[in-house]
Amino acid sequence: MKRITRTPGNRRYALLSVVALLALTSVSGAAPGSAASGSPRVAAVARAVPPPSARVGALFNGDLEGGHFCTASVVRSGGRDLILTAAHCLSGDGDTDVVFVPGYRDGRAPYGVWRVAKTFVPRAWSDRSDEDSDFAFAVVAPNASKGGRELEDVVGANVFVSGRATGGSDVVVTGYPNVLDAAVSCTNRPTVHSRTQQRIECPDFTDGTSGSPWVDGEGEVVGVLGGFEQGGATDDVSYSAVLGSAAAALYREAARFGGSS
């Protein structure tokens, strides 16, 4: 079980800034703005772009003092406000005391603190804790500190997909162990555990990493850490339910609600 029962702990991914500088050369070989070119100097424009790791964050109780207990990630939706995690991370009865902190590191929230407005948990999980339904979505409210913008406008999003065969490519798994204040990441290829479950070998994925996305090279989420043994009984092997038609239906339901929070 890789979810801590809502008690302190922490973790996140390393942040990078991407800066693009455009250098133009004139026909004579002189740089723009130089005496030889005769043109005015043009300052290069640099823009910081959130790295893909900013799309993954920690779930906290109430605020940063509440302790992080699971991981979640931003997935693309029309409302631009949707996150994905494991069903066993949410109670399914609202969970509006939960906040999502993308890119969390060392006690800081570089992209803001986002309040969960509504959760979407499969009925099969709510009724009988079905391990094959251990996935869930949540809509977050706009963030006043970010000018009322939606989450996806601030950090971007991965694409949620279903129906992919297990082990088609390597995936990157990123999660927040409850004993750390930054994220860990692992790249490996999932293998079949059963018809409805997939597994991956990644070291040090301890409690708190439940809900970690499995992202392929195309930026598609093809798994979410959970499922068998609620993610795995050891730190070095993790699981995900195979994301099929039930996951797709829940995604559509959550996406329809998005934008109305």
Side-chain angles (χ1 to χ4, degrees), residues 56-241:
V56 183
L59 293 177
F60 284 78
N61 294 300
D63 55 33
L64 296 186
E65 301 302 318
H68 64 78
F69 59 90
C70 270
T71 300
S73 65
V74 188
V75 291
R76 191 173 299 169
S77 68
R80 308 182 71 78
D81 54 6
L82 197 61
I83 60 175
L84 168 69
T85 188
H88 72 261
C89 291
L90 301 175
S91 68
D93 59 1
D95 272 322
T96 52
D97 61 327
V98 173
V99 296
F100 173 65
V101 185
Y104 173 77
R105 187 178 182 86
D106 298 332
R108 298 189 298 274
Y111 303 102
V113 176
W114 301 77
R115 181 182 60 82
V116 168
K118 185 172 178 59
T119 59
F120 296 83
V121 176
R123 177 65 62 85
W125 177 265
S126 300
D127 289 349
R128 57 183 185 278
S129 298
D130 175 19
E131 65 181 21
D132 296 334
S133 300
D134 196 3
F135 45 80
F137 296 92
V139 172
V140 300
N143 193 318
S145 71
K146 299 297 179 182
R149 288 189 293 169
E150 300 291 354
L151 175 61
E152 190 175 329
D153 296 324
V154 177
V155 299
N158 294 316
V159 177
F160 176 79
V161 298
S162 60
R164 293 294 171 82
T166 297
S169 67
D170 287 355
V171 300
V172 178
V173 185
T174 304
Y176 284 82
N178 66 326
V179 294
L180 297 175
D181 279 322
V184 293
S185 184
C186 165
T187 301
N188 205 345
R189 184 162 297 203
T191 58
V192 173
H193 175 69
S194 69
R195 183 180 60 82
T196 55
Q197 294 285 320
Q198 49 190 329
R199 71 192 294 274
I200 194 167
E201 295 185 12
C202 280
D204 303 323
F205 272 69
T206 61
D207 285 350
T209 59
S210 285
S212 300
W214 299 17
V215 183
D216 67 14
E218 302 299 319
E220 300 169 330
V221 181
V222 297
V224 56
L225 201 154
F228 180 65
E229 296 177 331
Q230 294 192 8
T234 70
D235 297 345
D236 298 330
V237 177
S238 298
Y239 298 86
S240 167

